[in-house]
Amino acid sequence: MANHSLFASHRGAHVPTADTRNEAGGLAYARRPEATLALYAATGCLNGTFYADAETQLDTMLALCAKVDPRFVAKTAIYARRTAFMKDMPALLLASLSLRDQEAFAAAFPKVIDNGRMLRNVVQILRSGRVGRKSLGSLPKRLVRDWLQNATTDQLINAAIGNDPSLADVIKMVHPKPADAGREALYAWIIDKPYDAAKLPEKVRAYEAFKRDPQRAMPDLPFQYYTALPLNASHWKALATHASWQTLRQNLNAFARHGVFADKYVLRKVVAKLRDADAIRRARAFPYQLLTAYQATAALPREIAEALQDAMEIATCNVPTLEGDVVVAVDVSGSMASPVTGFRKGATSATRCVDVAALIAACVQRNSPQARVMPFDTAVREVRTNPRDSVVTQAQRLAKLCGGGTSVSAPLARLNAERANVDLLVLVSDNESWRDTRASGASETMRQWSQIKARCPQAKLVCIDMQPVATSQTLERGDVLHVGGFSDAVFDVLANFAAEGAGARRWVEKIASVEL
């Protein structure tokens, strides 16, 4: 008689054999190079993660760029910047094209380099030697020069904040030609050379006058221009009331240390700005950034914490309403405790992968109150959620469960044991499953999904990945969609797939459709 352990019958369609192992040692499926590149671009921050250090991430990205068509690399860079709102990854992708495909590099450059920080990022990467060159070269130098010459005065003033390289370094490298005496004076001011003060832009003249006499009015300049100056309480209040929304969010505790919120008028102004829906949208704030700010409000007035909760509701209001039997499975295993943007000395985010995963689940359940939330590590964890709670409250409740090993198949196995009906299963994880692995054959997650499909042929599975990894517990196909990242773009892809199913445009296809 044939060996039953080898030839046991299995309910459902044929389950594809896993073809690799993940970083944790579990059976997994290798992603296609384009899909891997897209995931790294949307989730990687070139910092250390639970399973890979920053150097490994960089090497992987450069190897992927060499495997993938350069036009797709260019389109991924544009998507990563414009839709996923990333910074280092799009600059790296762009820089990788500078020697490989100059046409794609030139086409993507103005769409990726949309501010001074991005300009400095790509210059830094090009000069590092990591993409095959240690100098800018003629085409990159021309494009950098064109950016400087076409930039507005405000763009240059904002770009002059930061070092390694500074904007002054960049100007000295490419020698932009001033269009007029005003631009000539501004370049000289930035690189600390003698300049004609009368020709400087008005706000720069006002800033220099303020440095000489702090009794003058503070010109409307970025917050960072003032932090090294000896400011009094009135100055700090003026900065708080005139700061951009993103600057305000990032410096709430600094303003508190300088007594700004003791003034009830200023406090009301700050609270109103934090709740301003238009300002939130213009800031392109990640929901997790709002969660990070909320987590740091222990020493701040209650009104600030409440305003950040309101801002979170606004920032996540575009989450789609999902119909039918919806399940959101949230990975709360130990590896999900790693910082969502990776480990970086002196700049590690307090927000973890599990916080973002819980945030996604809370957002879905708020707009689809019938959705079932299933946190899991090696087994499904029991938790009672209330769709009427705020997104922040729900996310915190789920994130408190973090710890333990990983069995991505656990929620699917529970659904099968209950013979539950499933229309849409959203699985949010770092995909490093190992406790449910097998010696060979299919991953346990795909085996369990096959059983759900046999019972619920209409079911769809969306896997949202929190970390840059080259493997997955599921194989992407007509009923299975992969997507990665922390921006609202994830919800757009989720909504399209929930509505259209196999006919929906895939995440990689969405990136491939970006115009160069």
Side-chain angles (χ1 to χ4, degrees):
M1 183 177 291
N3 187 326
H4 282 285
S5 63
L6 289 176
F7 303 107
S9 60
H10 177 76
R11 187 166 181 240
H14 169 70
V15 185
T17 300
D19 54 11
T20 189
R21 288 189 177 269
N22 59 29
E23 286 88 342
L27 281 179
Y29 299 92
R31 303 178 194 272
R32 292 186 297 113
E34 290 82 2
T36 309
L37 183 73
L39 180 60
Y40 269 71
T43 62
C45 297
L46 296 176
N47 298 320
T49 66
F50 192 88
Y51 290 102
D53 60 22
E55 193 75 23
T56 301
Q57 272 194 63
L58 175 59
D59 291 343
T60 301
M61 281 297 290
L62 293 176
L64 287 167
C65 288
K67 289 180 183 178
V68 173
D69 180 86
R71 289 181 64 82
F72 185 81
V73 175
K75 292 177 179 185
T76 305
I78 296 169
Y79 177 90
R81 180 60 190 151
R82 290 193 164 185
T83 304
F85 306 147
M86 302 297 278
K87 301 179 181 71
D88 293 348
M89 279 298 186
L92 174 63
L93 293 173
L94 183 66
S96 75
L97 292 168
S98 62
L99 284 172
R100 187 179 176 206
D101 191 315
Q102 294 199 338
E103 183 180 346
F105 175 77
F109 190 95
K111 297 180 179 181
V112 174
I113 307 305
D114 56 5
N115 62 31
R117 173 172 177 172
M118 291 301 299
L119 184 77
R120 292 188 293 105
N121 279 358
V122 77
V123 169
Q124 178 186 358
I125 292 170
L126 285 169
R127 295 180 69 231
S128 71
R130 297 307 297 264
V131 296
R133 67 193 314 158
K134 296 197 73 172
S135 62
L136 292 188
S138 58
L139 176 61
K141 185 177 287 188
R142 177 173 63 79
L143 292 172
V144 170
R145 188 186 302 119
D146 289 347
W147 191 93
L148 291 169
Q149 291 175 171
N150 293 324
T152 66
T153 296
D154 282 346
Q155 284 176 318
L156 288 175
I157 290 172
N158 291 342
I161 299 165
N163 296 296
D164 300 322
S166 66
L167 184 64
D169 295 330
V170 175
I171 290 173
K172 291 173 185 176
M173 287 178 214
V174 302
H175 306 291
K177 184 178 180 180
D180 52 40
R183 183 54 61 95
E184 182 179 12
L186 180 57
Y187 285 156
W189 179 76
I190 291 171
I191 65 177
D192 199 24
K193 293 289 186 181
Y195 54 84
D196 184 346
K199 298 291 178 29
L200 283 174
E202 182 179 350
K203 61 173 55 178
V204 177
R205 292 200 308 272
Y207 175 66
E208 290 297 324
F210 175 80
K211 288 198 296 183
R212 293 190 298 270
D213 179 9
Q215 300 305 312
R216 290 173 174 266
M218 300 174 74
D220 183 17
L221 288 173
F223 174 84
Q224 293 88 338
Y225 275 99
Y226 294 101
T227 53
L229 301 181
L231 304 180
N232 60 32
S234 296
H235 294 143
W236 280 101
K237 291 175 187 178
L239 285 177
T241 53
H242 291 93
S244 69
W245 190 93
Q246 199 72 281
T247 296
L248 182 60
R249 174 191 68 81
Q250 292 170 328
N251 294 281
L252 287 169
N253 282 288
F255 289 130
R257 286 194 301 273
H258 289 89
V260 166
F261 302 133
D263 186 317
K264 296 303 179 185
Y265 170 77
V266 175
L267 178 60
R268 285 195 299 273
K269 293 265 290 186
V270 167
V271 166
K273 179 175 286 188
L274 289 173
R275 286 189 171 120
D276 187 306
D278 290 337
I280 292 167
R281 295 187 185 100
R282 285 196 303 272
R284 301 193 299 187
F286 285 125
Y288 88 82
Q289 291 174 323
L290 284 163
L291 182 61
T292 302
Y294 180 81
Q295 290 168 334
T297 59
L300 297 177
R302 173 182 51 81
E303 295 92 332
I304 297 286
E306 291 175 352
L308 287 169
Q309 283 189 296
D310 291 342
M312 176 71 80
E313 299 296 323
I314 294 167
T316 59
C317 66
N318 68 338
V319 177
T321 298
L322 305 172
E323 304 296 336
D325 293 304
V326 178
V327 179
V328 187
V330 181
D331 186 346
V332 295
S333 63
S335 62
M336 292 286 283
S338 61
V340 70
T341 54
F343 298 95
R344 184 179 181 184
K345 188 175 181 180
T348 297
S349 170
T351 305
R352 306 163 298 169
C353 292
V354 69
D355 296 316
V356 178
L359 196 60
I360 289 172
C363 289
V364 170
Q365 194 175 53
R366 182 194 59 185
N367 281 13
S368 305
Q370 86 287 1
R372 178 182 181 182
V373 175
M374 300 177 71
F376 68 91
D377 42 44
T378 55
V380 173
R381 304 285 299 277
E382 302 301 329
V383 64
R384 186 180 181 87
T385 59
N386 181 359
R388 296 193 177 191
D389 285 340
S390 73
V391 169
V392 168
T393 300
Q394 285 213 73
Q396 288 180 324
R397 183 179 294 120
L398 289 169
K400 284 179 181 177
L401 301 173
C402 189
T406 313
S407 294
V408 170
S409 63
L412 288 78
R414 169 71 71 86
L415 293 168
N416 281 324
E418 297 174 355
R419 298 191 59 78
N421 189 60
V422 178
D423 292 311
L424 177 66
L425 172 57
V426 181
L427 182 60
V428 194
S429 172
D430 63 2
N431 251 293
E432 296 291 352
S433 194
W434 57 275
R435 281 291 295 272
D436 56 352
T437 199
R438 303 159 58 84
S440 61
S443 73
E444 186 60 23
T445 304
M446 279 304 288
R447 286 168 55 85
Q448 294 293 338
W449 177 244
S450 179
Q451 292 180 43
I452 289 176
K453 286 292 291 184
R455 190 177 65 257
C456 311
Q458 80 290 347
K460 307 179 190 75
L461 172 62
V462 178
C463 300
I464 301 176
D465 294 297
M466 291 286 97
Q467 291 282 267
V469 290
T471 65
S472 177
Q473 287 300 293
T474 58
L475 191 66
E476 190 166 28
R477 60 189 195 185
D479 59 333
V480 180
L481 175 73
H482 291 174
V483 64
F486 339 116
S487 76
D488 291 352
V490 169
F491 294 120
D492 295 335
V493 177
L494 171 61
N496 290 338
F497 184 66
E500 301 176 29
R505 191 164 59 179
R506 300 275 145 172
W507 187 39
V508 169
E509 292 170 351
K510 185 180 178 72
I511 294 171
S513 69
V514 170
E515 290 189 11
L516 276 181

